[in-house]
Amino acid sequence: MLAFWKSDAAQYRPLLSAPRSLSAKFFVLVAVVSLIYLAQFVIPYDLPSFSLSSRTRGTCPPKSWANGKWVPKPPPTNRTDFSTPSDAFEFLGLEGCASSREIFWHLAADNERLWDRFPGVSTWRWQPPSDCEVRDLVRELLVRDLIEQGGWLLIGDSVTENHFFSLSCLLYPHVRATPNYVESPDFDRAWPQNLYLSPLSPLVRSINFPQGFDIKKTPLVTFRRVDLLMEESQLDALYHSLHPKSNLFSDEAVWNLPPSEYVKILTSPLPEGNYATLVVSTAGHWTTTLFAGLKDANKFNDGIHNVVDFFQEAMHAWAQEVQRLLDEAEKAEQRATGDMGRQRAPRQVLARAYLPGHEDCHDSREPTTKYKPGPNGWYNWNQIKDFNRAFEGVLSSRRYPDIHFLPIDRPALLRPDAHSAGDCLHIMTGTGVLEGWSHYIWHYVTVELPGRVR
Protein backbone atom coordinates (compact mmCIF):
# COMPACT_ATOMS: atom_id res chain seq x y z
CA MET A 1 0.00 0.00 0.00
CA LEU A 2 1.00 3.59 -0.44
CA ALA A 3 3.06 5.06 2.36
CA PHE A 4 2.27 8.73 2.96
CA TRP A 5 4.78 8.99 5.76
CA LYS A 6 7.96 7.00 5.22
CA SER A 7 10.30 6.13 8.03
CA ASP A 8 13.31 6.28 5.70
CA ALA A 9 12.59 9.77 4.37
CA ALA A 10 15.55 12.15 4.15
CA GLN A 11 16.09 14.37 7.19
CA TYR A 12 14.14 17.65 6.88
CA ARG A 13 16.23 20.75 6.14
CA PRO A 14 14.56 24.17 6.53
CA LEU A 15 14.97 26.35 3.44
CA LEU A 16 14.59 29.60 5.35
CA SER A 17 15.63 30.53 8.85
CA ALA A 18 12.97 32.30 10.91
CA PRO A 19 13.79 35.67 12.45
CA ARG A 20 13.93 35.36 16.23
CA SER A 21 11.64 38.30 16.68
CA LEU A 22 8.61 36.50 15.19
CA SER A 23 6.29 34.49 17.41
CA ALA A 24 6.73 30.73 17.42
CA LYS A 25 2.95 30.38 17.62
CA PHE A 26 2.63 32.33 14.39
CA PHE A 27 4.90 29.88 12.55
CA VAL A 28 3.03 26.90 13.98
CA LEU A 29 -0.22 28.39 12.66
CA VAL A 30 1.33 28.98 9.23
CA ALA A 31 2.66 25.42 9.13
CA VAL A 32 -0.72 23.89 9.99
CA VAL A 33 -2.55 25.97 7.39
CA SER A 34 0.07 25.06 4.79
CA LEU A 35 -0.26 21.34 5.51
CA ILE A 36 -4.03 21.49 5.20
CA TYR A 37 -3.72 23.34 1.89
CA LEU A 38 -1.16 20.89 0.48
CA ALA A 39 -3.10 17.85 1.65
CA GLN A 40 -5.85 18.45 -0.88
CA PHE A 41 -3.30 17.96 -3.68
CA VAL A 42 -1.35 15.07 -2.11
CA ILE A 43 -4.06 12.83 -0.64
CA PRO A 44 -6.59 11.55 -3.19
CA TYR A 45 -10.30 11.66 -2.45
CA ASP A 46 -11.08 8.21 -3.85
CA LEU A 47 -9.11 6.11 -1.37
CA PRO A 48 -10.48 2.63 -0.83
CA SER A 49 -11.98 1.96 2.58
CA PHE A 50 -8.67 1.00 4.24
CA SER A 51 -7.30 2.71 7.28
CA LEU A 52 -4.30 4.89 6.44
CA SER A 53 -2.36 3.19 9.19
CA SER A 54 -2.48 -0.09 7.25
CA ARG A 55 -1.20 1.39 3.98
CA THR A 56 2.49 0.60 4.22
CA ARG A 57 5.07 -0.22 1.59
CA GLY A 58 5.59 -3.79 0.50
CA THR A 59 8.30 -5.27 2.67
CA CYS A 60 8.18 -8.99 2.05
CA PRO A 61 7.70 -10.32 -1.50
CA PRO A 62 6.70 -13.99 -1.83
CA LYS A 63 10.15 -15.42 -2.50
CA SER A 64 11.56 -13.58 0.49
CA TRP A 65 8.82 -14.97 2.73
CA ALA A 66 9.49 -18.48 1.46
CA ASN A 67 13.22 -18.13 2.19
CA GLY A 68 12.70 -18.34 5.95
CA LYS A 69 13.00 -21.33 8.26
CA TRP A 70 11.01 -23.34 10.80
CA VAL A 71 11.95 -22.52 14.39
CA PRO A 72 10.75 -24.11 17.63
CA LYS A 73 7.94 -22.61 19.67
CA PRO A 74 6.35 -23.71 22.99
CA PRO A 75 3.71 -26.44 22.72
CA PRO A 76 0.09 -25.25 22.98
CA THR A 77 -0.48 -27.62 25.91
CA ASN A 78 1.55 -29.28 28.64
CA ARG A 79 -0.42 -32.49 28.23
CA THR A 80 1.18 -35.54 26.63
CA ASP A 81 -1.67 -38.02 27.03
CA PHE A 82 -3.31 -37.77 23.61
CA SER A 83 -6.00 -40.44 23.93
CA THR A 84 -8.99 -39.49 21.75
CA PRO A 85 -9.41 -37.68 18.42
CA SER A 86 -11.05 -34.70 20.12
CA ASP A 87 -7.78 -34.08 21.99
CA ALA A 88 -6.42 -32.75 18.70
CA PHE A 89 -7.99 -29.33 19.30
CA GLU A 90 -6.03 -28.75 22.51
CA PHE A 91 -2.82 -30.34 21.19
CA LEU A 92 -2.93 -28.14 18.07
CA GLY A 93 -3.86 -24.98 19.98
CA LEU A 94 -7.30 -24.65 18.36
CA GLU A 95 -10.46 -23.36 20.03
CA GLY A 96 -12.53 -25.21 17.48
CA CYS A 97 -13.34 -25.31 13.76
CA ALA A 98 -16.37 -23.91 11.99
CA SER A 99 -16.34 -26.49 9.20
CA SER A 100 -17.85 -29.91 9.91
CA ARG A 101 -16.22 -31.56 6.88
CA GLU A 102 -14.20 -34.64 7.96
CA ILE A 103 -12.91 -32.84 11.02
CA PHE A 104 -10.54 -35.45 12.39
CA TRP A 105 -9.17 -36.27 8.94
CA HIS A 106 -8.18 -32.62 8.56
CA LEU A 107 -6.67 -32.64 12.07
CA ALA A 108 -4.82 -35.91 11.31
CA ALA A 109 -6.34 -37.46 14.42
CA ASP A 110 -8.05 -40.35 12.63
CA ASN A 111 -5.16 -42.82 12.94
CA GLU A 112 -4.22 -43.84 16.47
CA ARG A 113 -0.89 -45.20 15.25
CA LEU A 114 0.24 -41.61 14.54
CA TRP A 115 -0.97 -39.93 17.73
CA ASP A 116 2.63 -39.82 18.94
CA ARG A 117 3.09 -36.83 16.59
CA PHE A 118 1.17 -34.68 19.06
CA PRO A 119 1.98 -32.14 20.39
CA GLY A 120 5.39 -32.02 18.64
CA VAL A 121 3.86 -31.37 15.23
CA SER A 122 2.45 -28.05 16.50
CA THR A 123 5.65 -26.79 18.13
CA TRP A 124 7.06 -25.03 15.06
CA ARG A 125 6.50 -21.64 13.52
CA TRP A 126 7.66 -20.18 10.21
CA GLN A 127 10.23 -17.40 10.66
CA PRO A 128 10.77 -15.29 7.52
CA PRO A 129 14.16 -13.60 7.00
CA SER A 130 15.00 -10.64 9.22
CA ASP A 131 14.50 -8.16 6.36
CA CYS A 132 10.96 -9.46 5.78
CA GLU A 133 8.54 -7.28 7.74
CA VAL A 134 5.19 -9.00 8.19
CA ARG A 135 2.74 -8.14 10.96
CA ASP A 136 1.56 -10.94 13.22
CA LEU A 137 -1.55 -12.78 12.13
CA VAL A 138 -4.47 -11.61 14.30
CA ARG A 139 -7.67 -13.42 13.43
CA GLU A 140 -9.90 -10.50 14.39
CA LEU A 141 -8.04 -8.20 11.99
CA LEU A 142 -8.20 -10.79 9.22
CA VAL A 143 -11.97 -11.15 9.73
CA ARG A 144 -12.34 -7.39 9.55
CA ASP A 145 -10.33 -7.17 6.34
CA LEU A 146 -12.30 -10.01 4.73
CA ILE A 147 -15.39 -7.88 5.22
CA GLU A 148 -14.19 -4.30 4.80
CA GLN A 149 -11.67 -4.95 1.99
CA GLY A 150 -13.23 -8.00 0.38
CA GLY A 151 -13.40 -11.76 0.83
CA TRP A 152 -11.45 -14.67 -0.64
CA LEU A 153 -12.65 -17.19 -3.23
CA LEU A 154 -10.54 -20.36 -3.08
CA ILE A 155 -10.47 -22.45 -6.27
CA GLY A 156 -8.55 -25.70 -6.42
CA ASP A 157 -8.45 -29.37 -5.52
CA SER A 158 -8.57 -31.14 -2.16
CA VAL A 159 -5.34 -29.47 -0.99
CA THR A 160 -7.09 -26.12 -1.38
CA GLU A 161 -9.94 -27.66 0.61
CA ASN A 162 -7.33 -28.26 3.33
CA HIS A 163 -6.68 -24.52 3.23
CA PHE A 164 -10.38 -23.70 3.56
CA PHE A 165 -10.78 -26.01 6.56
CA SER A 166 -7.75 -24.45 8.23
CA LEU A 167 -9.29 -20.99 7.78
CA SER A 168 -12.47 -22.23 9.44
CA CYS A 169 -10.37 -23.09 12.51
CA LEU A 170 -8.12 -20.04 12.35
CA LEU A 171 -11.09 -17.64 12.34
CA TYR A 172 -13.21 -19.61 14.84
CA PRO A 173 -15.38 -18.64 16.78
CA HIS A 174 -15.97 -15.50 14.69
CA VAL A 175 -17.22 -17.46 11.67
CA ARG A 176 -19.78 -20.14 10.89
CA ALA A 177 -19.52 -22.62 8.01
CA THR A 178 -21.86 -24.18 5.48
CA PRO A 179 -22.87 -26.80 4.53
CA ASN A 180 -23.46 -28.87 7.64
CA TYR A 181 -21.90 -32.21 6.78
CA VAL A 182 -23.24 -33.85 9.94
CA GLU A 183 -26.81 -33.20 8.82
CA SER A 184 -25.98 -34.04 5.17
CA PRO A 185 -23.53 -36.97 5.21
CA ASP A 186 -24.22 -37.85 1.55
CA PHE A 187 -22.22 -34.90 0.29
CA ASP A 188 -21.03 -34.00 -3.19
CA ARG A 189 -17.47 -32.74 -3.54
CA ALA A 190 -18.80 -30.06 -5.89
CA TRP A 191 -20.81 -28.40 -3.11
CA PRO A 192 -19.73 -24.83 -2.34
CA GLN A 193 -18.27 -24.41 1.14
CA ASN A 194 -18.63 -20.99 2.78
CA LEU A 195 -17.52 -19.10 5.87
CA TYR A 196 -19.84 -16.36 7.14
CA LEU A 197 -19.46 -13.92 10.00
CA SER A 198 -21.12 -15.41 13.07
CA PRO A 199 -23.89 -13.17 14.43
CA LEU A 200 -22.60 -14.09 17.90
CA SER A 201 -19.14 -12.64 17.24
CA PRO A 202 -18.33 -9.50 19.25
CA LEU A 203 -16.75 -8.14 16.05
CA VAL A 204 -20.24 -7.41 14.72
CA ARG A 205 -20.29 -4.23 16.81
CA SER A 206 -17.00 -2.82 15.49
CA ILE A 207 -16.83 -3.72 11.79
CA ASN A 208 -17.55 -1.09 9.14
CA PHE A 209 -19.85 -3.16 6.92
CA PRO A 210 -20.04 -2.29 3.20
CA GLN A 211 -23.44 -1.10 2.07
CA GLY A 212 -25.52 -4.15 1.17
CA PHE A 213 -23.51 -6.63 3.24
CA ASP A 214 -25.75 -9.29 4.79
CA ILE A 215 -24.35 -11.43 7.62
CA LYS A 216 -26.68 -14.25 6.62
CA LYS A 217 -25.89 -14.16 2.89
CA THR A 218 -22.46 -12.61 2.26
CA PRO A 219 -19.54 -15.08 2.54
CA LEU A 220 -16.13 -14.07 3.86
CA VAL A 221 -14.48 -17.10 2.23
CA THR A 222 -15.78 -19.61 -0.31
CA PHE A 223 -14.19 -22.84 -1.57
CA ARG A 224 -15.11 -24.52 -4.86
CA ARG A 225 -13.58 -27.79 -5.97
CA VAL A 226 -11.92 -27.21 -9.35
CA ASP A 227 -9.08 -29.65 -10.01
CA LEU A 228 -7.78 -28.38 -13.37
CA LEU A 229 -8.94 -24.71 -13.33
CA MET A 230 -10.75 -25.45 -16.60
CA GLU A 231 -13.41 -27.96 -17.67
CA GLU A 232 -12.30 -31.09 -19.48
CA SER A 233 -14.27 -30.03 -22.57
CA GLN A 234 -12.33 -26.73 -22.69
CA LEU A 235 -9.00 -28.49 -22.34
CA ASP A 236 -9.94 -31.12 -24.88
CA ALA A 237 -10.92 -28.45 -27.42
CA LEU A 238 -7.72 -26.50 -26.73
CA TYR A 239 -5.57 -29.58 -27.14
CA HIS A 240 -7.16 -30.61 -30.42
CA SER A 241 -6.78 -27.08 -31.76
CA LEU A 242 -3.05 -27.27 -31.10
CA HIS A 243 -2.28 -30.99 -31.45
CA PRO A 244 -4.89 -32.97 -33.40
CA LYS A 245 -5.02 -36.36 -31.77
CA SER A 246 -7.41 -38.90 -30.23
CA ASN A 247 -8.99 -38.76 -26.77
CA LEU A 248 -7.10 -36.65 -24.24
CA PHE A 249 -8.69 -37.83 -20.98
CA SER A 250 -9.17 -41.13 -19.19
CA ASP A 251 -12.25 -41.95 -17.09
CA GLU A 252 -10.59 -40.80 -13.85
CA ALA A 253 -12.97 -38.71 -11.75
CA VAL A 254 -12.26 -34.99 -11.41
CA TRP A 255 -14.35 -31.97 -10.41
CA ASN A 256 -14.19 -28.82 -12.51
CA LEU A 257 -15.80 -25.53 -13.43
CA PRO A 258 -15.03 -23.18 -16.32
CA PRO A 259 -13.30 -19.88 -15.43
CA SER A 260 -16.40 -18.01 -16.59
CA GLU A 261 -18.39 -19.59 -13.77
CA TYR A 262 -16.04 -18.93 -10.89
CA VAL A 263 -15.06 -15.46 -12.09
CA LYS A 264 -18.80 -14.75 -12.14
CA ILE A 265 -18.86 -15.80 -8.47
CA LEU A 266 -15.83 -13.59 -7.78
CA THR A 267 -17.49 -10.56 -9.34
CA SER A 268 -21.01 -11.12 -8.00
CA PRO A 269 -22.38 -8.00 -6.24
CA LEU A 270 -23.52 -7.67 -2.66
CA PRO A 271 -25.20 -9.25 -0.82
CA GLU A 272 -24.34 -12.53 -2.58
CA GLY A 273 -20.69 -11.62 -3.09
CA ASN A 274 -18.08 -9.29 -1.64
CA TYR A 275 -14.96 -10.99 -2.98
CA ALA A 276 -11.75 -9.11 -3.75
CA THR A 277 -9.27 -12.00 -4.05
CA LEU A 278 -9.40 -15.20 -6.09
CA VAL A 279 -6.82 -17.76 -4.90
CA VAL A 280 -6.18 -20.67 -7.28
CA SER A 281 -3.83 -23.63 -7.24
CA THR A 282 -3.48 -26.60 -9.56
CA ALA A 283 -1.06 -29.33 -10.71
CA GLY A 284 -1.89 -32.34 -8.55
CA HIS A 285 -4.31 -33.87 -11.07
CA TRP A 286 -2.17 -33.11 -14.12
CA THR A 287 -0.91 -36.69 -14.48
CA THR A 288 -0.48 -39.20 -17.27
CA THR A 289 -3.20 -41.23 -15.57
CA LEU A 290 -5.84 -38.55 -16.15
CA PHE A 291 -4.32 -37.16 -19.37
CA ALA A 292 -4.10 -40.61 -20.92
CA GLY A 293 -3.76 -39.18 -24.43
CA LEU A 294 -0.40 -37.69 -23.46
CA LYS A 295 0.98 -40.87 -21.92
CA ASP A 296 4.03 -42.33 -23.63
CA ALA A 297 5.60 -45.42 -22.09
CA ASN A 298 8.78 -44.83 -24.09
CA LYS A 299 9.47 -41.52 -22.37
CA PHE A 300 10.59 -40.57 -18.87
CA ASN A 301 7.90 -41.22 -16.26
CA ASP A 302 5.41 -42.24 -18.97
CA GLY A 303 5.75 -38.92 -20.75
CA ILE A 304 4.95 -36.63 -17.82
CA HIS A 305 6.67 -33.74 -19.58
CA ASN A 306 4.07 -34.00 -22.34
CA VAL A 307 1.60 -33.09 -19.62
CA VAL A 308 3.80 -30.26 -18.35
CA ASP A 309 4.07 -28.81 -21.86
CA PHE A 310 0.31 -28.91 -22.38
CA PHE A 311 -0.20 -27.48 -18.88
CA GLN A 312 1.80 -24.42 -19.91
CA GLU A 313 -0.32 -23.99 -23.05
CA ALA A 314 -3.50 -24.40 -21.01
CA MET A 315 -2.43 -21.86 -18.41
CA HIS A 316 -1.77 -19.31 -21.16
CA ALA A 317 -5.35 -19.82 -22.35
CA TRP A 318 -6.63 -19.73 -18.76
CA ALA A 319 -4.82 -16.49 -17.93
CA GLN A 320 -6.07 -14.81 -21.10
CA GLU A 321 -9.66 -15.75 -20.30
CA VAL A 322 -9.49 -14.77 -16.64
CA GLN A 323 -7.87 -11.39 -17.33
CA ARG A 324 -10.47 -10.65 -20.01
CA LEU A 325 -13.29 -11.55 -17.63
CA LEU A 326 -11.79 -9.34 -14.92
CA ASP A 327 -11.48 -6.41 -17.33
CA GLU A 328 -15.06 -6.80 -18.49
CA ALA A 329 -16.35 -7.00 -14.91
CA GLU A 330 -14.34 -3.91 -13.90
CA LYS A 331 -15.78 -1.88 -16.79
CA ALA A 332 -19.31 -3.04 -16.00
CA GLU A 333 -18.87 -2.10 -12.34
CA GLN A 334 -17.57 1.35 -13.26
CA ARG A 335 -20.61 1.94 -15.46
CA ALA A 336 -22.93 0.78 -12.68
CA THR A 337 -21.38 2.75 -9.81
CA GLY A 338 -20.32 5.91 -11.67
CA ASP A 339 -18.63 8.40 -9.38
CA MET A 340 -19.52 6.40 -6.24
CA GLY A 341 -16.53 4.11 -6.68
CA ARG A 342 -16.00 0.64 -5.23
CA GLN A 343 -16.37 -0.25 -1.56
CA ARG A 344 -13.64 -2.92 -1.54
CA ALA A 345 -10.12 -3.46 -2.78
CA PRO A 346 -9.58 -4.02 -6.53
CA ARG A 347 -10.12 -7.64 -7.52
CA GLN A 348 -6.93 -9.65 -7.92
CA VAL A 349 -6.08 -13.27 -8.68
CA LEU A 350 -3.33 -15.14 -6.82
CA ALA A 351 -1.97 -18.43 -8.13
CA ARG A 352 -0.44 -20.27 -5.19
CA ALA A 353 2.36 -22.67 -6.08
CA TYR A 354 1.31 -26.31 -5.83
CA LEU A 355 2.92 -28.86 -3.51
CA PRO A 356 4.41 -32.29 -4.02
CA GLY A 357 4.00 -34.87 -1.31
CA HIS A 358 6.72 -36.51 0.78
CA GLU A 359 7.27 -40.23 0.30
CA ASP A 360 7.20 -42.09 3.65
CA CYS A 361 6.10 -38.89 5.37
CA HIS A 362 4.70 -40.68 8.42
CA ASP A 363 8.21 -41.64 9.49
CA SER A 364 9.06 -37.95 10.01
CA ARG A 365 8.64 -36.14 13.31
CA GLU A 366 10.18 -32.73 12.63
CA PRO A 367 10.86 -30.24 9.84
CA THR A 368 13.83 -30.55 7.51
CA THR A 369 16.12 -27.80 6.26
CA LYS A 370 16.16 -28.96 2.63
CA TYR A 371 13.52 -30.62 0.47
CA LYS A 372 14.52 -33.95 -1.09
CA PRO A 373 12.51 -35.36 -4.01
CA GLY A 374 11.14 -38.84 -3.40
CA PRO A 375 13.32 -41.71 -4.68
CA ASN A 376 10.34 -43.54 -6.18
CA GLY A 377 8.80 -40.65 -8.11
CA TRP A 378 5.26 -41.19 -6.86
CA TYR A 379 2.47 -39.72 -9.05
CA ASN A 380 3.72 -36.44 -10.58
CA TRP A 381 5.31 -35.21 -7.36
CA ASN A 382 8.86 -34.88 -8.64
CA GLN A 383 7.61 -32.77 -11.55
CA ILE A 384 5.50 -30.36 -9.48
CA LYS A 385 8.40 -27.91 -9.59
CA ASP A 386 8.15 -27.98 -13.39
CA PHE A 387 4.43 -27.23 -13.30
CA ASN A 388 5.05 -24.35 -10.90
CA ARG A 389 7.86 -22.99 -13.06
CA ALA A 390 5.62 -23.14 -16.14
CA PHE A 391 2.74 -21.35 -14.39
CA GLU A 392 5.03 -18.68 -12.99
CA GLY A 393 6.50 -18.12 -16.45
CA VAL A 394 3.05 -17.62 -17.94
CA LEU A 395 2.01 -15.12 -15.28
CA SER A 396 5.22 -13.10 -15.56
CA SER A 397 3.74 -11.52 -18.69
CA ARG A 398 2.50 -7.93 -18.43
CA ARG A 399 -0.60 -9.04 -20.29
CA TYR A 400 -1.99 -10.31 -17.00
CA PRO A 401 -1.63 -7.35 -14.60
CA ASP A 402 -4.27 -8.65 -12.17
CA ILE A 403 -2.98 -12.23 -11.88
CA HIS A 404 0.01 -12.92 -9.63
CA PHE A 405 2.02 -16.07 -8.93
CA LEU A 406 2.87 -16.80 -5.29
CA PRO A 407 5.90 -19.12 -4.94
CA ILE A 408 5.28 -19.76 -1.24
CA ASP A 409 5.57 -23.56 -1.35
CA ARG A 410 8.93 -23.91 0.43
CA PRO A 411 7.56 -23.85 4.02
CA ALA A 412 5.42 -26.90 3.17
CA LEU A 413 8.30 -28.61 1.35
CA LEU A 414 10.24 -28.55 4.62
CA ARG A 415 7.42 -30.20 6.65
CA PRO A 416 7.28 -33.93 5.85
CA ASP A 417 5.92 -34.35 9.39
CA ALA A 418 2.83 -32.21 8.75
CA HIS A 419 0.78 -34.44 6.45
CA SER A 420 -2.62 -35.94 7.11
CA ALA A 421 -2.71 -39.39 8.67
CA GLY A 422 -4.16 -41.07 5.58
CA ASP A 423 -1.68 -40.01 2.89
CA CYS A 424 1.49 -38.03 2.24
CA LEU A 425 0.08 -35.23 0.06
CA HIS A 426 -2.60 -33.48 2.11
CA ILE A 427 -1.64 -31.14 4.95
CA MET A 428 -3.02 -31.26 8.47
CA THR A 429 -4.53 -28.18 10.05
CA GLY A 430 -2.74 -26.57 12.99
CA THR A 431 0.90 -27.23 12.05
CA GLY A 432 1.54 -23.73 10.72
CA VAL A 433 1.75 -24.73 7.04
CA LEU A 434 -1.82 -23.94 5.97
CA GLU A 435 -2.01 -21.14 8.49
CA GLY A 436 1.13 -19.69 6.91
CA TRP A 437 -0.64 -19.53 3.55
CA SER A 438 -3.44 -17.51 5.11
CA HIS A 439 -0.95 -15.30 6.91
CA TYR A 440 1.06 -14.50 3.80
CA ILE A 441 -1.92 -14.07 1.48
CA TRP A 442 -3.40 -11.59 3.98
CA HIS A 443 -0.09 -9.73 4.03
CA TYR A 444 0.23 -9.83 0.25
CA VAL A 445 -3.22 -8.43 -0.56
CA THR A 446 -3.12 -5.73 2.12
CA VAL A 447 0.54 -4.66 1.94
CA GLU A 448 2.38 -5.95 -1.13
CA LEU A 449 -0.31 -5.59 -3.79
CA PRO A 450 -1.86 -2.14 -3.24
CA GLY A 451 1.20 -0.35 -4.55
CA ARG A 452 1.21 -2.51 -7.69
CA VAL A 453 -2.43 -2.61 -8.79
CA ARG A 454 -3.47 -0.55 -11.77
Side-chain angles (χ1 to χ4, degrees), residues 274-286:
N274 184 44
Y275 306 104
T277 304
L278 170 62
V279 183
V280 305
S281 187
T282 189
H285 288 265
W286 289 76

Side-chain angles (χ1 to χ4, degrees), residues 195-197 212-220 270-274:
L195 297 181
Y196 300 89
L197 180 64
F213 190 98
D214 188 329
I215 289 180
K216 295 181 179 179
K217 296 181 180 180
T218 310
L220 278 62
L270 286 162
E272 285 73 22
N274 184 44

Side-chain angles (χ1 to χ4, degrees), residues 223-251:
F223 164 70
R224 295 300 302 268
R225 176 73 182 261
V226 183
D227 294 333
L228 304 175
L229 297 190
M230 302 171 75
E231 284 191 322
E232 294 100 310
S233 59
Q234 289 180 290
L235 291 167
D236 197 59
L238 174 65
Y239 181 73
H240 284 96
S241 70
L242 299 171
H243 316 281
K245 197 176 179 181
S246 59
N247 294 335
L248 178 62
F249 289 99
S250 69
D251 295 330

